[in-house]
Structures are given as structure tokens and as C-alpha cells.
Amino acid sequence: MKLLLDSSSSLLFSLLLAQLPVFTSASPVPQRRPSDMDKLSNQTRNLMKLTQELLREHAFDPDVEPHRFRSLPEMSNRSANDLNNLELKPTLSQLHADLKLYEHHFEWLNKVSKKHQHPALPKLVEMIKEMKSLINLLHRQMLRVEAPRLTPATPSLPPHLPYQFDVLQSSHELLQHFRLFCEWAYRAFISLKPKVSAVQ
């Protein structure tokens, strides 16, 4: 009888051991909370998608007159080769100033589009909202690492646009320029993430 009990206990113990991996795998794995740099890169990617959708959904004239906007951030001097050599604080400060400048330009475009009842208006409003959210998130990150806040350049906006065609042309130039900026900023935030971790 004792032998039977011992055998039963041993069998039960073996079964419990066999089920242990199942219980372990069934327990929920805690999700890693995204860092602020993850949030910045994700939100920049969302803005880039919105920009691409606006360019794709609305028939813009590809033969756009260049340089309507003379105060937009210079993108020709930013290359992929520079990403590994970015300094944390100056880059965050410059990206913040650049975004504030784009914000001024797109708010101007939004007002002009309302007058001409531009079909892209709802998505343009959504884009400005996302941009403001990104600016606020970036400012919080700057405060954490003590990056200085730069004064944005004064926007140089085109004169009064009398025709809807002029609004379309201006929209195209702004969106194309901002798409390039978002692509570079997205990579910059990813490159800067390890440097933020080292500072904090």
C-alpha cells in the first residue's frame, strides 16, 4: 500500500514538472514601455505618413515653381552620413526650432486653404495637430537633457495667393520639403536614442 502511495506521489510530481513550462509560457510577459525617443520617432513616422498621403491623394502639379518659401530649414546639408556623428543637445534644439518653423508655415497654409476651400483641409488640420504634439514631446525631452531652446527663424511667407492653383503649388512645395525633413528627423531620433540613455 505504501509503495502504491509513493508511486502515485512520484507520478503526480512528474506530471507537475512536465506542465511547468506550459504554466511559465502562459504567464503574460511584461511589455517594455516605449521611451520618449521611441515616441518621438514613432510620431515623426506618423507625420511622414500623413504627408505622403496628402501628396498621393491630391493631384498636385509636379512642375512646381521652386523656392516660394525662403525660410524653410535647409535640408541639402543633412545627409545619412551625418547621423552617426550627431550631438544630442544641439540636434534636439535644432529639430525643435525647425518644427516650430514648419508649424508657422502650415498654419499659414491652413488659413489660405480655408479661403479657397482646399479639399486637403481636414487632413491638413490633423497634420498640424500631430505636429504640435510632436513639438511638445520634443520640448519635454529637451528639458530632461537640458538642451537649450533656440529662437526659430522668422517665416518668410509668400504674398497673397489669389488663385487655388497658387495654393496647390504652395502646398506641394511645403509637403515635399516637410517629407524630406521627417525622413531625416526620424533617423536622427533613432540615432540619438543611445546618447539619451547615456545622459539620463
Side-chain angles (χ1 to χ4, degrees):
M1 183 69 176
K2 184 177 182 299
L3 182 62
L4 184 61
L5 286 173
D6 288 346
S7 300
S8 299
S9 301
S10 177
L11 179 60
L12 180 61
F13 184 67
S14 300
L15 286 170
L16 285 172
L17 282 177
Q19 290 296 319
L20 190 60
V22 177
F23 295 143
T24 305
S25 62
S27 60
V29 178
Q31 293 289 325
R32 184 181 67 85
R33 287 185 63 187
S35 68
D36 281 345
M37 294 305 289
D38 290 328
K39 293 176 184 176
L40 283 167
S41 57
N42 289 339
Q43 201 148 350
T44 304
R45 184 173 56 189
N46 290 341
L47 265 173
M48 186 164 52
K49 287 180 180 177
L50 273 173
T51 307
Q52 290 168 338
E53 286 171 11
L54 274 166
L55 285 166
R56 185 171 59 249
E57 289 173 8
H58 302 283
F60 294 111
D61 188 346
D63 189 22
V64 64
E65 177 190 339
H67 310 307
R68 287 172 179 249
F69 302 95
R70 302 186 183 279
S71 56
L72 289 174
E74 182 59 52
M75 295 304 300
S76 61
N77 58 359
R78 305 185 196 190
S79 67
N81 296 329
D82 301 329
L83 291 170
N84 292 329
N85 302 318
L86 293 177
E87 295 181 36
L88 176 61
K89 295 180 183 182
T91 305
L92 292 179
S93 298
Q94 189 59 59
L95 287 171
H96 183 269
D98 291 346
L99 280 165
K100 290 294 291 182
L101 193 56
Y102 280 113
E103 180 188 23
H104 285 304
H105 281 80
F106 277 105
E107 284 181 336
W108 167 85
L109 181 62
N110 187 40
K111 289 177 183 177
V112 173
S113 298
K114 282 180 180 177
K115 292 179 182 177
H116 292 273
Q117 298 181 336
H118 195 292
L121 193 58
K123 193 154 283 186
L124 192 58
V125 172
E126 181 185 353
M127 187 174 164
I128 293 171
K129 183 180 176 182
E130 286 285 321
M131 198 182 303
K132 289 180 183 293
S133 177
L134 177 60
I135 289 170
N136 291 335
L137 184 61
L138 177 53
H139 186 239
R140 288 202 298 272
Q141 182 62 62
M142 288 166 61
L143 291 175
R144 287 194 181 94
V145 299
E146 300 180 347
R149 183 169 178 170
L150 305 179
T151 303
T154 304
S156 175
L157 300 169
H160 173 63
L161 303 179
Y163 305 109
Q164 189 173 24
F165 174 78
D166 297 307
V167 178
L168 286 170
Q169 296 287 76
S170 297
S171 301
H172 185 272
E173 183 179 351
L174 256 182
L175 289 167
Q176 286 282 28
H177 202 283
F178 188 61
R179 181 180 60 81
L180 291 175
F181 170 81
C182 285
E183 287 176 357
W184 194 88
Y186 172 73
R187 296 179 183 182
F189 286 134
I190 292 174
S191 297
L192 290 172
K193 183 180 175 181
K195 298 181 181 180
V196 171
S197 302
V199 170
Q200 292 178 337

